[in-house]
Every structure is written in C-alpha cells, then in structure tokens.
Amino acid sequence: MKTYILGIESSCDDTSAAVIENNKILANIMANQTVHKKYGGVVPELASRAHQQNIIPVVDSALKASGISKHQLNAISFTRGPGLLGSLLVGTSFAKSFALALDLPLIEVDHLQAHILAHFIQNKEGSKKIPDFPFLCLTISGGHTQIVLINDYLEMKIIGKTIDDAAGEAFDKAAKILGLPYPGGPEIDKLAKDGDPNRFAFPKPKIPDLNFSFSGLKTSFLYFIRDELKHNPDFIEQNKNDLSASIQKTIIDVLINKLILASKKTGITEVAIAGGVSANSLMRKKLTETGNNLNWNVYIPDIEYTTDNAAMIAIVGYYKYLKKDFTDQRITPYARSQG
Ligand code: KG4
Ligand code: ZN
C-alpha cells in the first residue's frame, strides 16, 4: 500500500515542505531566509514573519513537485519542537489548519528525532544502506549535541549531551570571532581546506562520560585571538585558513573521541551522524576513517539531509502513521527538548 505524507519544518530559519511515498521522497522544497545575514544570527521575530510569507508557496511547490494532489495525502506531519517558538507556531498552525481542511490525521514530530530518522529516507532505486538497530547517532546541530542510542524507529535514548554550547554553536561563535558571516560552520569548513590543522593548539574540554562542553573552547579561542591581535592587527587576516583548520580539528576530535567512547561503552558498532555539523567535510572524513579502523558500519547523511529539511519530518510522519500515532487539534509547540 502506498502512503503519502506531507512534512512541514519551520523550527528555525528554514521553511521546508516535503512529500513522501512510504519511505521514498517525492519532493523536498526549502526556502532559506537571507534576512538574518546582516545581524550575524537568526532574529526570531524576523524568522516567524518570513515563515508566514514562505509557508504557502513552499507547501504548494512541494505538492506540485511531487505530482501528488493534496487529496491523495494520508496525513500531515509537522515539527512540534524544539526550536524558536514563533517559528514553530507558524508550521504548527498551518499543519493544523491544512489537516482540518482536508480531514486528515495530524502527526507531531520531534525535530531531533527527525534528524536521526533522516537515515531511513530511501532513494528512488531503494539501494541506500540504512542502519540496523540498535545503532548510535551523534546529532550535531546549531542547537544540540547529543549521542543517542536508537533501539527502534521511535524508541531512542540520549546517552550523552552538551552541558553548554552545541557543536554548531562552537563553529558559529569561532567564525564570528574571525569576522566570518553567519552561519559560520560552512565558512570555517571552506577556509580550513587550505589551512594547517596543527598550526595552533587549543585546549580540549575534559568532560566525563559521554557529555560535551564547548563554551571553554570558545573562550580560549577568543582570548588567544585577542592577545595575538595586540601584537599584530592583521593576525586574523594573515592566518584565517590555519585558524579555521585548527579550531575545526579541535571540535571534530572531541566529537570523534566521544563517539569512540560511546561505541566502547555500549558495544555498538553501527554508528551514524546527523544534524547541520554532519555536513562538515572533516567530520565526514574522520568518521569514515574511524569506522574503517574500528570495523564500524558508518552512516553519513546525504548533504541535503544534514541541515534542517522537511523530508526528515515526513519520514518520522510515515513511521508514526504506521503506528497510528496521531495528535489532535489542541496540540501546541515546545521550544525546549522534551527529553
Ligand atoms: O541542523 P541545523 O541545520 O539546524 C539546527 O537544528 O540547529 O544545523 C545548523 C548548524 C549551524 O551551526 C551551522 O554552522 C552548522 O550546522 N553547519 C556546519 C556545516 N554546515 C552547517 N558546521 C560545520 N561545517 C559545516 N560544513
Ligand atoms: Zn536541526
């Protein structure tokens, strides 16, 4: 039987809609918001307003691109949280109204669970390798850094997380110190390609177990640059590539080392990464190398499913649809993680 689910994502600054046929994506449309660039970060009020403007055209494009009529849909899934409340409200309200108008079931989706289940989005040929249960997933985004143990599609447990900044935040803050535009992660990644990762050493946080901390690293990076600028006002400009490569290596080493520890502790060798920072080229390379050395099966998302997208909301919608896990019209979004 074919099941068609519309997925809607509006948790931060991307408005996205996707249509899925069982576990295969028919359309995944995205409207990025450029309005935040000049502020060096996402401005929540502007994000909600842009979502309001984008949501109808984005859903319309997704339906057109999928070749599916809205009357063929079986359910509407949407991001309930975590994220910016004003942004979430736009997607939630739209999803509720659309479901009501079409008399369809409504499915709420947790954004972080969606980043992980993006690994189950199958390609047109059905040839994509998907993880076996149980597996570990390191979710690294602008707002979260977690190691999650996944026992089944909808059964997962966080076994480690950051106690302060997220990995993406560490990239973005380091980029800001270097005067790079927001979001800084991709900028650092680009500059690092021509830099020496061993030129500068930054202290790695020593946090027990499977938890992370990145705020100390940001502070030592800031102080280091401030001191160097006192002697040489052109220090950043002259060392942009090496600084980017060195801070990137430090962040990625921390992440990989914790994943190795998580695999040792759990005995699990099926290992995935998810979230915006999983687009990082060094992260992808290091995970592949580590997997080869330690005999892991590694799962690295296609680039289009690393940052926020509605395809991942639609795939969770599909698995919840199979379980008839529906919600009702009284549902409200949540800004913070429920776990
Ligand atoms: O998952 P995501 O799109 O949004 C959240 O749910 O937060 O992640 C966005 C984060 C930003 O911090 C961005 O700088 C980071 O992912 N990011 C990267 C790269 N691409 C995106 N960080 C490092 N290297 C990249 N190539
Ligand atoms: Zn995300």
Side-chain angles (χ1 to χ4, degrees):
M1 207 188 75
K2 283 181 177 167
T3 302
Y4 297 105
I5 311 275
L6 173 72
I8 292 169
E9 155 65 30
S10 73
S11 66
C12 191
D13 59 340
D14 298 304
T15 321
S16 179
V19 179
I20 204 162
E21 179 189 280
N22 296 351
N23 60 352
K24 288 187 190 165
I25 287 295
L26 301 181
N28 184 30
I29 304 289
M30 196 99 62
N32 302 115
Q33 302 180 2
T34 47
V35 59
H36 309 287
K37 269 221 152 57
K38 62 175 180 259
Y39 300 101
V42 177
V43 184
E45 279 295 321
L46 297 178
S48 335
R49 204 179 308 179
H51 283 305
Q52 282 279 22
Q53 287 164 344
N54 293 341
I55 190 121
I56 291 178
V58 164
V59 170
D60 190 50
S61 307
L63 283 168
K64 284 202 176 107
S66 71
I68 295 298
S69 128
K70 59 181 184 276
H71 301 292
Q72 287 172 276
L73 292 172
N74 295 87
I76 312 289
S77 62
F78 67 96
T79 308
R80 185 178 172 203
L84 301 170
L85 206 56
S87 293
L88 290 163
L89 272 167
V90 177
T92 305
S93 309
F94 181 88
K96 283 198 214 180
S97 322
F98 207 42
L100 196 63
L102 296 169
D103 196 20
L104 288 176
L106 189 59
I107 300 172
E108 53 136 328
V109 173
D110 180 88
H111 182 88
L112 294 166
Q113 200 168 41
H115 269 300
I116 297 172
L117 291 197
H119 282 285
F120 294 92
I121 298 171
Q122 195 42 273
N123 59 24
K124 292 227 159 64
E125 300 74 40
S127 60
K128 204 182 103 185
K129 190 178 79 153
I130 55 173
D132 275 336
F133 298 115
F135 70 97
L136 294 174
C137 185
L138 172 69
T139 307
I140 29 181
S141 71
H144 298 86
T145 297
Q146 300 179 337
I147 300 180
V148 185
L149 168 58
I150 299 100
N151 286 312
D152 203 350
Y153 296 111
L154 302 170
E155 219 192 288
M156 35 188 96
K157 190 174 158 215
I158 298 166
I159 57 171
K161 61 182 177 188
T162 181
I163 57 167
D164 42 55
D165 291 352
E169 231 172 327
F171 271 103
D172 295 340
K173 286 179 175 171
K176 200 168 184 174
I177 294 168
L178 296 178
L180 302 172
Y182 178 87
E187 302 287 328
I188 294 216
D189 194 349
K190 252 184 263 160
L191 287 169
K193 287 193 170 42
D194 298 314
D196 174 2
N198 299 315
R199 169 87 188 283
F200 304 107
F202 301 107
K204 292 201 180 106
K206 290 190 179 59
I207 304 296
D209 299 324
L210 299 174
N211 291 331
F212 302 87
S213 163
F214 288 106
S215 75
L217 179 60
K218 173 204 65 192
T219 311
S220 56
F221 189 65
L222 178 69
Y223 288 172
F224 171 73
I225 303 256
R226 190 194 57 185
D227 292 346
E228 292 296 328
L229 283 175
K230 280 184 199 152
H231 313 297
N232 174 10
D234 296 326
F235 179 74
I236 294 182
E237 201 40 50
Q238 288 166 358
N239 297 285
K240 255 196 320 220
N241 298 89
D242 290 347
L243 285 166
S244 297
S246 302
I247 191 77
Q248 172 174 275
K249 179 180 184 291
T250 311
I251 298 170
I252 302 301
D253 278 352
V254 170
L255 295 170
I256 292 280
N257 287 340
K258 287 285 175 174
L259 256 184
I260 294 173
L261 184 62
S263 170
K264 270 197 192 131
K265 279 191 165 206
T266 58
I268 295 173
T269 53
E270 292 278 302
V271 181
I273 51 172
V277 182
S278 67
N280 182 269
S281 53
L282 183 68
M283 183 69 208
R284 297 166 86 88
K285 183 169 162 252
K286 277 269 168 87
L287 182 64
T288 307
E289 283 170 10
T290 309
N292 287 340
N293 290 341
L294 299 177
N295 266 325
W296 292 354
N297 289 322
V298 303
Y299 302 89
I300 298 173
D302 295 342
I303 287 286
E304 64 176 315
Y305 300 136
T306 54
T307 45
D308 292 347
N309 64 86
M312 66 186 198
I313 306 304
I315 189 86
V316 181
Y318 172 62
Y319 290 113
K320 286 196 161 188
Y321 182 85
L322 296 179
K323 294 196 144 195
K324 298 211 179 335
D325 187 352
F326 305 139
T327 183
D328 67 29
Q329 287 283 332
R330 283 167 300 185
I331 191 99
T332 53
Y334 52 81
R336 291 181 171 277
S337 268
Q338 299 286 284

